[in-house]
């Protein structure tokens, strides 16, 4: 199990669970033209300025996307405003993550990063909804809490089965490894699947 508790754990985690996995799976360096990278984004700035260790900054720096490929969604309008100033060529949406996907005119993701801090009870139904609407050849990444304060919320062996319950006949391949890591005393899981 990884222990990403240092201040720079997020860039390492994204490198291992998004960039490297996408390139390995699809055997390409960058998402195809016309495709999007969707993110439950939070603040993607460093005091309002672009920064390479934020999600969008890292993805651009590693050349997996161009700025205009990024679609960031957050429910906080101040976060969206700061992100828009720092990265004006990206698309920023102030809305619920899944609702934004359903309401946009152009929904062509290559990658969806559903980086939640929810428990499986809340994360898995939304993940199922996302999988049900993405086009073929999309990689979906989801983080969720497995164990908190030594309380097991969902055994890792049950995650794939629980996700399948929420699918509407969609064929899904799961990455062979569900990656687990510690964030302080909380055990998180990163699930990667492909349509």
């Amino acid at each position: 199990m990884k222990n990403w508790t240092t201040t720079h754990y997020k860039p390492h985690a994204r490198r291992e669970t998004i960039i490297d996995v996408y390139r390995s799976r699809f055997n390409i360096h960058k998402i195809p033209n016309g495709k999007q990278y969707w993110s439950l984004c939070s603040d993607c700035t460093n005091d309002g300025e672009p920064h390479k260790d934020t999600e969008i900054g890292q993805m651009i720096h590693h050349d997996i996307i161009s700025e205009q490929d990024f679609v960031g969604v957050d429910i906080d309008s101040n976060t969206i405003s700061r992100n828009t100033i720092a990265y004006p060529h990206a698309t920023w949406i102030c809305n619920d993550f899944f609702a934004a996907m359903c309401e946009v005119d152009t929904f062509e993701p290559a990658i969806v990063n559903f980086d939640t801090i929810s428990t499986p009870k809340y994360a898995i139904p939304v993940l199922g909804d996302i999988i049900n609407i993405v086009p073929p050849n999309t990689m979906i990444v989801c983080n969720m809490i497995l164990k908190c304060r030594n309380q097991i919320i969902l055994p890792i062996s049950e995650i794939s089965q629980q996700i399948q319950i929420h699918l509407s006949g969609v064929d899904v391949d799961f990455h062979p490894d569900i990656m687990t890591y510690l964030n302080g005393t909380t055990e998180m899981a990163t699930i990667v699947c492909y349509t």
Side-chain angles (χ1 to χ4, degrees):
M1 179 182 326
K2 300 284 184 183
N3 188 344
W4 286 325
T5 55
T6 66
T7 54
H8 299 290
Y9 77 91
K10 278 295 215 183
H12 297 291
R14 287 191 296 259
R15 176 69 191 234
E16 290 184 16
T17 62
I18 299 173
I19 297 168
D20 293 347
V21 172
Y22 183 81
R23 287 178 173 160
S24 175
R25 169 70 181 209
F26 294 101
N27 199 29
I28 55 176
H29 186 75
K30 191 171 190 169
I31 68 171
N33 288 336
K35 290 292 192 172
Q36 303 161 323
Y37 178 107
W38 277 73
S39 172
L40 184 59
C41 65
S42 190
D43 193 341
C44 292
T45 70
N46 183 15
D47 295 325
E49 296 293 322
H51 190 272
K52 72 178 179 75
D53 284 342
T54 64
E55 184 174 8
I56 183 174
Q58 182 180 12
M59 296 303 148
I60 292 167
H61 178 77
H62 285 280
D63 198 36
I64 195 162
I65 66 167
S66 299
E67 184 176 330
Q68 64 269 16
D69 301 329
F70 192 88
V71 181
V73 182
D74 197 284
I75 58 171
D76 180 14
S77 61
N78 292 324
T79 295
I80 295 299
S81 294
R82 282 191 303 277
N83 291 345
T84 300
I85 292 166
Y87 295 98
H89 301 292
T91 300
W92 301 102
I93 302 169
C94 185
N95 201 344
D96 170 80
F97 195 53
F98 183 69
M101 293 176 179
C102 295
E103 295 171 7
V104 294
D105 293 332
T106 304
F107 182 64
E108 287 295 329
I111 299 171
V112 173
N113 185 18
F114 181 41
D115 188 6
T116 178
I117 55 168
S118 296
T119 62
K121 177 180 178 180
Y122 297 102
I124 287 176
V126 176
L127 177 59
D129 289 342
I130 292 168
I131 293 169
N132 285 327
I133 66 166
V134 298
N137 298 313
T138 301
M139 183 175 92
I140 304 101
V141 181
C142 177
N143 293 318
M144 67 181 72
I145 297 172
L146 288 182
K147 186 184 343 179
C148 186
R149 295 183 205 99
N150 294 321
Q151 296 278 10
I152 296 174
I153 296 168
L154 181 69
I156 198 166
S157 59
E158 295 180 21
I159 290 176
S160 297
Q161 177 187 9
Q162 289 296 313
I163 294 169
Q164 292 286 352
I165 291 169
H166 294 279
L167 300 181
S168 300
V170 176
D171 287 330
V172 176
D173 291 331
F174 288 92
H175 188 276
D177 300 315
I178 293 177
M179 296 155 259
T180 60
Y181 61 97
L182 290 175
N183 186 358
T185 60
T186 303
E187 185 176 338
M188 303 286 293
T190 299
I191 297 93
V192 180
C193 55
Y194 318 92
T195 58

